[in-house]
Amino acid sequence: MKAIRCKAYGPPSSLILEEMESLHPKANEVVVQVKACGINYPDTLIIQGLYQFKPELPFTPGSDFAGVIKSVGSGVKHLAIGDAIFGFVTFGALAEEVVVPANACFQKPGKMDFSIAASFMIAYGTSYHALKDRAKLQEGETLLVLGASGGVGLAAVELGKLMGAKVIAAASTDEKLALCREYGADLTINYSKEDLKLAIKELTNGTGVDVVYDPVGGDYSEAAFRGIAWAGRYLVVGFAAGNIPKIPLNLPLLKGASLVGVFWGTFAMKNPKGNMQNAMTLLKWQEEGKLKPHIHKVYELKDTSKALQAMLDREVMGKLVVKI
């Protein structure tokens, strides 16, 4: 089988497409014939050695996948060869085959195509866990989403609106903000042109936002925190800007606000029952037409490095997919 291989930490251009031996499952695992793999920002970090987990070199990147089960290990009762599934792994999915723990797989609804399935779990799983479990977002509250046109950001806009919040989307271009409005944003901020703190104050009549969803980090984090309301919740989701901000701790004190970490992958492992309940809710909404991942572009496996570079260059709105 063919796989994208990272043999030394570096930029996307250093990845190679390589022939490998077919994979075999161990107990409680399945081997999936991958049909599509969604690209996520952590994929750009893991190949540079900048992610929380550093796989032993060489390795195959890729997390969000959809495909058909090729073989089943001992102990697996709820899945069978030929089942169409989707799910997530820490790495390994940018290949024709991937080994997956059986408890990290979900049955793919018949009407959901493989590209949509491969764009679903990490973006919506992260954002729903963040808004529901960590922020406990309430109907009528105001939600600010930074990096709102990206994969997890757009999912947060869509889910926030579905959960009854007033949603303010913040992004760097008018084109990106137009997409956010299509996905339910009530108000928008172009933070490449506007002062973020002042814009938040104006849009909320001085009261601030109840919840900030921040997958970006960088220079806008402190300004966003300064725009938070009393007893607000600041969701730390990721650092797509590249640098980890330092927030003065007098700010949460003065605002009675909370800094709340969001690490969906660990939540899914430590609380599989809660994650499954969230997944069932998300799948129900998707089948009802309430959640619609935006596919920005589809690539072939041999062009994976181009997809990852586009992600690094911040050219992407919604999701990128590699079809296999």
Side-chain angles (χ1 to χ4, degrees):
M1 65 102 174
K2 295 178 181 177
I4 295 295
R5 301 292 279 168
C6 177
K7 296 196 168 184
Y9 293 129
S13 59
S14 66
L15 298 174
I16 64 169
L17 180 63
E18 187 173 77
E19 289 277 354
M20 295 181 62
E21 292 293 324
S22 285
L23 304 177
H24 302 281
K26 297 177 182 177
N28 301 311
E29 293 180 338
V30 297
V31 171
V32 177
Q33 182 183 352
V34 181
K35 298 293 187 181
C37 180
I39 299 296
N40 296 283
Y41 193 78
D43 297 328
T44 70
L45 300 177
I46 202 168
I47 64 172
Q48 299 176 79
L50 300 176
Y51 196 51
Q52 289 94 328
F53 303 114
K54 292 182 173 62
E56 183 178 343
L57 294 166
F59 70 94
T60 297
S63 301
D64 239 346
F65 72 88
V68 176
I69 293 179
K70 181 181 179 184
S71 57
V72 176
S74 62
V76 179
K77 306 297 184 186
H78 66 293
L79 298 169
I81 293 172
D83 284 355
I85 63 158
F86 67 103
F88 60 95
V89 288
T90 305
F91 57 92
L94 281 164
E96 291 179 337
E97 297 176 9
V98 62
V99 174
V100 187
N103 62 4
C105 299
F106 301 86
Q107 294 280 357
K108 183 183 75 65
K111 294 181 181 179
M112 180 189 279
D113 70 33
F114 286 108
S115 292
I116 293 294
S119 304
F120 195 79
M121 203 63 240
I122 290 179
Y124 286 100
T126 297
S127 295
Y128 192 49
H129 169 56
L131 299 178
K132 171 183 167 282
D133 301 321
R134 304 299 286 149
K136 294 179 169 46
L137 181 69
Q138 301 298 307
E139 186 174 354
E141 289 191 313
T142 301
L143 166 67
L144 171 67
V145 181
L146 304 182
S149 66
V152 294
L154 203 58
V157 169
E158 199 174 11
L159 285 166
K161 191 64 180 174
L162 190 55
M163 295 166 73
K166 181 178 182 180
V167 179
I168 302 174
S172 59
T173 72
D174 292 338
E175 182 186 11
K176 291 177 178 179
L177 292 173
L179 178 63
C180 294
R181 286 191 291 271
E182 289 180 27
Y183 272 70
D186 298 286
L187 300 165
T188 58
I189 300 171
N190 184 332
Y191 45 47
S192 66
K193 298 178 180 178
E194 304 173 68
D195 182 288
L196 181 59
K197 178 188 170 185
L198 291 178
I200 294 169
K201 186 176 181 180
E202 290 174 4
L203 293 179
T204 62
N205 296 316
T207 61
V209 295
D210 299 294
V211 176
V212 177
Y213 182 99
D214 182 7
V216 179
D219 296 337
Y220 298 113
S221 295
E222 184 176 332
F225 203 110
R226 289 182 180 276
I228 209 165
W230 173 256
R233 290 86 75 201
Y234 195 104
L235 299 170
V236 182
V237 182
F239 311 105
N243 62 305
I244 299 173
K246 295 176 173 59
I247 300 291
L249 287 181
N250 65 314
L251 294 178
L253 184 154
L254 292 171
K255 293 174 174 288
S258 303
L259 274 167
V260 185
V262 178
F263 199 168
W264 173 73
T266 300
F267 163 76
M269 289 186 288
K270 289 183 175 293
N271 189 353
K273 183 178 179 180
N275 184 58
M276 181 62 73
Q277 290 172 341
N278 285 355
M280 293 303 100
T281 298
L282 292 169
L283 284 170
K284 177 176 177 289
W285 284 341
Q286 195 277 332
E287 288 190 76
E288 292 171 350
K290 296 175 181 177
L291 300 177
K292 298 177 182 178
H294 177 76
I295 308 297
H296 181 85
K297 190 173 180 179
V298 177
Y299 292 81
E300 295 181 24
L301 185 61
K302 65 182 178 64
D303 294 322
T304 293
S305 60
K306 295 179 182 178
L308 290 165
Q309 190 60 54
M311 181 74 70
L312 277 174
D313 292 341
R314 296 177 174 81
E315 298 172 354
V316 182
M317 296 187 292
K319 296 286 293 186
L320 297 179
V321 173
V322 173
K323 292 197 79 171
I324 300 169

